[in-house]
Structures are given as structure tokens and as C-alpha cells.
Amino acid sequence: MNRTGLFIALSLALVIGLLFGIFPELDLKLAALFYDAAAKSFPLKLNAFAAFARDAAMWVAWAFALPSIAALVAKLFRPDRPMLISGRAAVFLLVTMILSAGVLTNLTFKSYWGRPRPVVVTQFNGDQEFVPWWDPRGGCGRNCSFFSGEGATAFWTLAPAALTPPQWRPLAYAAATLFGITTSVLRMAFGGHFFTDVAAAGLVTFLVIWLAYALIYRWPSTRLSDVQIEAALTRLARPGHALLQRLRGRKAGPARSV
């Protein structure tokens, strides 16, 4: 998560955005690579193994997030105990997952950016008009094509990769990038997304992770410590924990004398 990575990501965003904005038919040509004109469908979407691989990719991504979720829940129920994992790591992983795979995709762009998916455009035997990536005025009403939520979830594995030991980090970045690309190609092969949908997912997710890492770990003015996060979570959870204890005490009732 250094400046070189940021420069590469911004450069790719500029090149892809301009190229596919000026020549939007490139999206159709890439999608056509997975389309069977004779059968008038995207054959791989009917393949059981490919469907399993798609589901498995999401399981893998969420498996990386699960320890952070468990640690946060445990802390909320027992604020008097230390967190099961690093507080900074838990916050970093959960915030980046929520932002990249939730807020910026499903709650923002996919809900209001009306770009139809490849499988429903007229060029692939659908009934909606194709629109380029930059045009939100497509005919899709909800759960639209731009940009890919599953692609963002897969590329989010760059976040746990950023927390690996320095000697393993380049390999972890390479594995996370390959995982994101493979998952994205599957989404294209199913007719679920255009290239620009999955490219935007990867680039936006990287930028979210880069900024969160800088805020939490790198920049001195905003850098947090595990102690600070533990203390903040303890303060947040203490009122609820105290209320729960009082309710338990009432439910048990006063002790009887013998």
C-alpha cells in the first residue's frame, strides 16, 4: 500500500476510463468472447462447477473477514476483555469491506447507476439498450451492472494481504490480485458484468484500502493504535454490557436464604 501502488491504480483508472469512454464498443467485444451466438446465451452461467466456483470465491473472501467480525462481537459482549485480534486490523478489515463491497457498490452505484448487465442488452438477445460505463441513464431499475459487487468483494482480499508480514506481502498481493481477476472473469463469463464493471470494482476497492491503510497505519496525524481502538470499543460497549448484566440479575432474582 505504497505510493507506487497508488500511482499505478490511478493511471489504470485514467487509461481504462478514457479508452472505454471513447470506445464503449470495446466492452461489447470483450463480453462477446463469452457469448454463444448460436445458443443465444452465455453458456458458462449454466455450468455447475463455474457456479460453485463463483460461490466459493465469496466464501473465501468472507472467511478472511470472519475473525474480525467475531472479535468485534466478542468485544461488544465482553468489553472488559481484550480483543481476540489486533483492534487496528479488525477495524481496517471491516471498514474496507463495508465500504468497498457494500456502501459503494450495492447501496450506491448498483442502486442508482442504471447500466444494464450484458445478459439483458440487445446485442446479446436481451431487451435493453447498452450504455457505456459513464452513463447512469440505462434501463436497469435495481441491482445493476456498474460496478461489480462480487468483483469488489474478491479484490477486497488485498486488505488482509496488506497486513501480512513484509517478506510475504508481495506474494500475498499477487495472490489477492489473481483471485480478484479470476472472480471478475467468471462474472464476465456469466454475462453478469462488462469489463469496465469489474475493472472499476478492483480499482475502487484498491483506492478504499489504500486510503484506509494510510489513515490507520501510515499517516502520523491520523494513525491509530490498538490501545486507542480497544479503549474506544470498551467505552462504546460498556453501557450495553452494564444493561445486560442488570437484566440478567433481575431475571435470576434475589438469592434465597436457607
Side-chain angles (χ1 to χ4, degrees), residues 42 44-62 106 110 117 119 143-145 147-155 179-193 198:
F42 289 86
L44 204 61
K45 71 177 182 178
L46 303 176
N47 185 287
F49 178 78
F52 173 79
R54 172 191 176 183
D55 293 337
M58 297 300 97
W59 300 337
V60 169
W62 280 102
N106 294 301
K110 287 171 69 66
R117 297 175 182 270
V119 72
N143 193 26
C144 304
S145 191
F147 51 94
S148 172
E150 290 184 26
T153 304
F155 277 110
F179 179 64
I181 291 173
T182 302
T183 302
S184 297
V185 170
L186 268 179
R187 296 301 293 129
M188 292 178 64
F190 290 156
H193 287 289
V198 296

Side-chain angles (χ1 to χ4, degrees), residues 1-2 12 20 25 34 80-81 96 114 130 138-139 149 161-162 170 172-173 179 182 194 197 200 206 226 234 245 251:
M1 292 295 138
N2 53 29
L12 283 173
F20 283 78
E25 65 274 10
F34 304 100
D80 54 317
R81 293 184 177 180
T96 52
F130 166 79
Y173 282 147
F179 179 64
T182 302
F194 291 104
D197 300 328
F206 176 85
D226 290 331
T234 298
Q245 293 297 99
K251 187 175 181 180

Side-chain angles (χ1 to χ4, degrees), residues 193-211:
H193 287 289
F194 291 104
F195 171 78
T196 46
D197 300 328
V198 296
L203 292 167
V204 168
T205 300
F206 176 85
L207 293 174
V208 168
I209 293 170
W210 191 95
L211 181 59

